Amino acid sequence: MKRPIPSPALLLDWCASGVLLTVTVAPLLLAAGCQPAEAPKPKESTAQVSPSQAGPANPEKPAGQAAGVTASSAAETPTKPKTAMEVMRRMAAAYHQASSYADAGTARLLAQSGDRKVDQTEDFAVAFVRPNKIRLQANQANFVCDGKTIHASIRDLAGQVLDKPAPPRITLNTIYRDPNLAGALSGGPAGPLPQLVLLLAEHPLQELLQEGEEPHLAQSGQVEGHDCYRVELKRPEGTLTFWIDQRSYALRRIVLPIEELRRVLTSQWRLEKPVETVSLVAEFTGATLNGQVDPKAFTFEVPPGSELVRFFIPPNPAQLLSKKVPGFKFVDLQGKPVTAESLAGKVVVLDFWATWCDPCRESLPNLEKVYQQYKNHKQVVFYAVSVDTPDVDNQELAKTFADLKVTIPILRDSDHTAAALRFTGIPTSFIIAANGIVQDSESGANPKLAEVLPAKLKKVLAGENIYDAPLKRYQQAMKQFAETMEKKAPESDAGDGPVMEDRKVPEAKIAPASKPATLKLTSLWKCAGLKAPGNILVLPMKNAAPRLLVVEGLKSVVEVGLDGKVIAAHPLALDEKAMEVVANLRAFTGADGKRWVVAFASAQQRLHLLDENWKQVWSYPKDALAHPHSGITDVEVADFNGDGRPQICVGYWGVVGVQGVSLEGSRLWSNRSLANVIRMAVGGPDENHHRLLYCADNSETLPGLDSSGQRRHEMVVRGRHVHWIVNGDLKGDGQLLWCGLTAEKLGEDVAIGFSDKGEELWHYALPIGIQPQPIEPLIIGQLAQSRPGQWILPAPDGSIHVLSADGKPLDKFNYGEALCGLATVEINGHPALVVATAKGLEAWKVE
């Protein structure tokens, strides 16, 4: 677990988990994942854009027409728009056809409750000339392309400058392909600025209007002296308001929903009542289409001594291992300074924390146990360094420690010198030897801290260096990261789609059938009633044998008995015009004992909930066919709090993120800090019976979300970009084991086992190729009565791979057909393997 340290920029940083979750004003322009409140009316701006901030001197022709955008320019349209949707279409057309754009805007966050107040402003600016010249200044970063070279810098990564050849055309992928740059530009992957979406996305209205009802026109008004249409977009969680120029159709202002911010601030400030006043407004000052741009706007001066890089390397405390600790100056609660120099000659344990950091509250009592062992040791000192902002007084710090029964001496980072230690989240701890060399660093709450820290201190006190092992782990992780970044494909021409590798997709060749080496398979039955079976789900029944639920023809769900006979077929009410299909099933039971089934498919617009009578209760999102999004990726059901009230959690492609949905079909929460959440898995219960939903987005970090969608934890699988995760109690000891899929190249999947700390335990390479059918690529099964459960992996070549709980290969055989679905179930007291192919459904007794 770790939580980000506060930032001086216009950010509302909050502890949504033990991981960096920074909500920036600018990227929230698209996030809009909050409920609205009546914000104070912004002041009318009279600021104008200078000629150097406007459009091109020699306009270049724009790219082709975006889908859903009218061909004629807004300025040429003689009639007044009659509907809000027409206003939005004309705005999209104006931006898409514009040869240039410029603004110099500000975003303001205002919040107040009693004597607590936040009033933050952040400037942003965009200058753009088609096809490939852009200057973007937002949040912590600058991004400049002069048509020949891309340069970018990040404020917190001083000394590094991105240097890459310019693509023929600037796309959203061009700007956001580097993960560290994307995070710096948007404060997290919540989404690009709306003016960039309008200028660069293939389907800008799809991005802006996703999940909303039909927009409607509200009372018009003025911004910067321009008459503006006011378009309100109602979403399940609130209203987003666009102020659009009536003549040029330039976007002048956005007023964002704020109830999520209100809730988070209320929690962060630990108030009993909600924060009284919150507003979040972005002003696109001087927004100009088709103006002139001074060519100097696209120049970038590389600071002297900077390192030109192909990708950014983020700060990490491990970078200090084996080095002299940087200078720092903290103060105790009496104002006495504590510096690196004043601690020379002692072994030092520094732990960075904050009052609002829940993972810190979990970790500090464990650190206190070790402190009690060493508090009288003359050569060892412990300090807990608070990174709280100045409005948190010393009394509150002391009260927090008193509540936690922690007596470690407290320091404050009043001069912000902790940044030199290169950590971005808390809790983070360091061990510094008597000679000033950094021996160890650890980020996140370690539940075994009280066990492992004394052993480390004993070695350091004996004069040993302990930095070799953690330093090697970091260097290996960075080597793998560098290899991954260097292997990334060239720029895609897709404006808002995922970056795809520019090479042929590996063909999956079906291997000739072969027998298992150790397992014995005997055919039990073939189901003649299915013509196009797909994924299989074993459904437990009350006081009866389980049934097999089989997706049939991507259009229905069929119940099959353990004798291979069809019990019932349940066609789904799918929208034929939208070409709806289903490929995956999830089943669960509510607190009232009622059974539910969810049917969905990756890249589809909706999931479908079926009750125990097979009635299709609802489809979600309800308005997805009218306002399509980028597509669903996965659905998981989570009983987060152990109270029998499950939530249906939905992951999405693109920037929609993850949503929690009630059994009534209402959205409970939305987390847009994640993008392209390909697969999710529910973790094990903690001591309070609470669970987290872990999300795989093809990165090495698996964030864990709680029942309100906030990040509370993360697992980091160093050097692996994990795109699929599954867990289960394979050994029957109540402990969840984790397995994932990762691929350095398209179609070259590797199964990996990892601990709940993210440590890789084993790996197993699978045959090359892409699955020809939408099969679940990793399942948990029981193929031997005398053994624990196994990981079972259907491969693209029709082979089936059986691995032990510890990742040891147990068997592998070729089925001889493309696999459409796999499941294991007990039939007549013996394990059985059920296989779906294009030829039908067949069950095999396993011995």
Side-chain angles (χ1 to χ4, degrees), residues 664-715:
E664 293 73 36
S666 300
R667 185 186 307 168
L668 300 172
W669 51 264
S670 176
N671 186 317
R672 296 177 64 95
S673 71
L674 303 172
N676 294 319
V677 179
I678 303 172
R679 177 71 175 186
M680 303 176 291
V682 181
D686 61 15
E687 61 275 10
N688 298 316
H689 307 290
H690 294 167
R691 298 175 183 267
L692 298 178
L693 178 76
Y694 288 90
C695 305
D697 59 357
N698 202 32
S699 71
E700 62 180 25
T701 300
L702 304 175
L705 309 183
D706 67 7
S707 59
S708 60
Q710 295 192 50
R711 291 191 182 188
R712 292 295 180 190
H713 186 244
E714 68 175 357
M715 286 190 287

Side-chain angles (χ1 to χ4, degrees), residues 73-311:
S73 70
E76 295 171 348
T77 305
T79 59
K80 221 176 178 183
K82 297 180 180 179
T83 66
M85 196 63 197
E86 189 175 352
V87 173
M88 296 295 287
R89 288 195 182 100
R90 292 189 187 185
M91 176 179 67
Y95 278 78
H96 187 76
Q97 296 175 16
S99 55
S100 68
Y101 171 82
D103 65 30
T106 59
R108 184 185 184 194
L109 170 65
L110 177 64
Q112 186 169 4
S113 185
D115 58 352
R116 295 247 189 178
K117 184 176 181 180
V118 173
D119 189 355
Q120 299 177 324
T121 300
E122 177 82 3
D123 296 332
F124 59 86
V126 175
F128 174 65
V129 175
R130 294 191 193 275
N132 63 351
K133 295 181 180 179
I134 191 169
R135 184 178 195 91
L136 172 61
Q137 295 172 279
N139 198 26
Q140 297 188 52
N142 293 326
F143 182 96
V144 179
C145 181
D146 61 3
K148 297 179 180 179
T149 306
I150 290 174
H151 284 117
S153 63
I154 300 174
R155 183 171 57 205
D156 289 345
L157 298 181
Q160 298 182 49
V161 172
L162 191 70
D163 182 273
K164 297 171 60 177
R169 181 169 69 96
I170 294 290
T171 69
L172 292 179
N173 284 331
T174 308
I175 299 170
Y176 291 98
R177 65 188 285 108
D178 185 292
N180 295 296
L181 180 61
L185 284 169
S186 55
L193 302 174
Q195 63 269 56
L196 294 183
V197 172
L198 288 164
L199 290 164
L200 303 176
E202 283 190 75
H203 307 286
L205 292 187
Q206 178 175 316
E207 295 287 344
L208 294 175
L209 301 179
Q210 60 185 337
E211 306 168 40
E213 298 178 4
E214 189 75 14
H216 72 276
L217 288 172
Q219 185 176 358
S220 300
Q222 283 198 339
V223 178
E224 293 186 80
H226 299 274
D227 292 331
C228 291
Y229 297 111
R230 187 154 60 101
V231 176
E232 293 184 347
L233 178 66
K234 289 187 177 181
R235 302 171 182 261
E237 73 281 359
T239 302
L240 181 65
T241 304
F242 300 87
W243 292 73
I244 301 169
D245 193 296
Q246 292 186 8
R247 294 193 61 188
S248 68
Y249 290 93
L251 180 61
R252 300 275 174 203
R253 173 186 295 159
I254 287 184
V255 180
L256 292 135
I258 47 75
E259 283 307 306
E260 179 69 8
L261 296 179
R262 187 194 305 277
R263 183 182 63 79
V264 170
L265 279 171
T266 300
S267 174
Q268 182 176 341
W269 289 348
R270 302 192 182 279
L271 302 175
E272 294 182 1
K273 296 181 179 180
V275 174
E276 298 164 3
T277 302
V278 185
S279 69
L280 184 55
V281 180
E283 305 278 0
F284 301 87
T285 309
T288 305
L289 296 163
N290 300 309
Q292 291 185 340
V293 168
D294 186 338
K296 293 180 180 179
F298 305 112
T299 60
F300 184 95
E301 296 293 335
V302 177
S306 296
E307 179 186 5
L308 299 180
V309 298
R310 294 279 296 172
F311 51 86

Side-chain angles (χ1 to χ4, degrees), residues 728-757:
D729 180 12
L730 274 72
K731 294 185 176 181
D733 58 4
Q735 300 298 313
L736 289 183
L737 301 180
W738 289 84
C739 184
L741 295 178
T742 179
E744 287 192 6
K745 295 181 179 179
L746 186 65
E748 298 184 8
D749 276 350
V750 175
I752 60 170
F754 54 93
S755 71
D756 56 6
K757 303 298 179 191

Side-chain angles (χ1 to χ4, degrees), residues 523-534 536 548-552 558-569 815 827 833-844:
S523 181
L524 292 174
W525 48 256
K526 295 181 180 179
C527 181
L530 298 177
K531 296 181 179 180
I536 309 162
L548 303 176
L549 299 185
V550 186
V551 176
E552 168 69 352
V558 177
E559 294 181 81
V560 178
L562 296 187
D563 57 0
K565 295 180 180 179
V566 172
I567 298 171
Y815 202 75
I827 300 178
L833 176 67
V834 185
V835 183
T837 69
K839 293 183 177 180
L841 188 72
E842 187 168 7
W844 299 83

Side-chain angles (χ1 to χ4, degrees), residues 484-626:
T484 300
M485 294 298 293
E486 291 294 349
K487 289 176 182 177
K488 276 198 170 185
E491 295 289 343
S492 166
D493 287 335
D496 54 350
V499 179
M500 300 299 293
E501 295 191 41
D502 188 21
R503 64 185 182 87
K504 185 178 179 181
V505 175
E507 181 182 355
K509 296 182 179 179
I510 302 303
S514 65
K515 293 182 179 181
T518 59
L519 301 174
K520 179 182 178 181
L521 300 184
T522 304
S523 181
L524 292 174
W525 48 256
K526 295 181 180 179
C527 181
L530 298 177
K531 296 181 179 180
N535 282 308
I536 309 162
L537 180 69
V538 179
L539 182 68
M541 303 296 293
K542 295 179 181 178
N543 304 317
R547 294 181 180 180
L548 303 176
L549 299 185
V550 186
V551 176
E552 168 69 352
L554 302 178
K555 296 291 185 180
S556 64
V557 179
V558 177
E559 294 181 81
V560 178
L562 296 187
D563 57 0
K565 295 180 180 179
V566 172
I567 298 171
H570 308 286
L572 301 179
L574 305 176
D575 191 298
E576 294 294 334
K577 292 183 179 179
M579 295 185 290
E580 281 193 305
V581 298
V582 297
N584 308 83
L585 302 173
R586 305 283 185 261
F588 62 98
T589 302
D592 55 3
K594 292 183 179 179
R595 187 198 66 214
W596 305 86
V597 173
V598 178
F600 69 99
S602 179
Q604 289 289 296
Q605 291 295 309
R606 303 189 299 176
L607 63 92
H608 313 278
L609 181 69
L610 311 172
D611 66 14
E612 57 187 354
N613 298 315
W614 296 99
K615 177 183 178 183
Q616 196 163 325
V617 182
W618 47 256
S619 299
Y620 179 91
K622 298 177 182 177
D623 63 341
L625 298 185

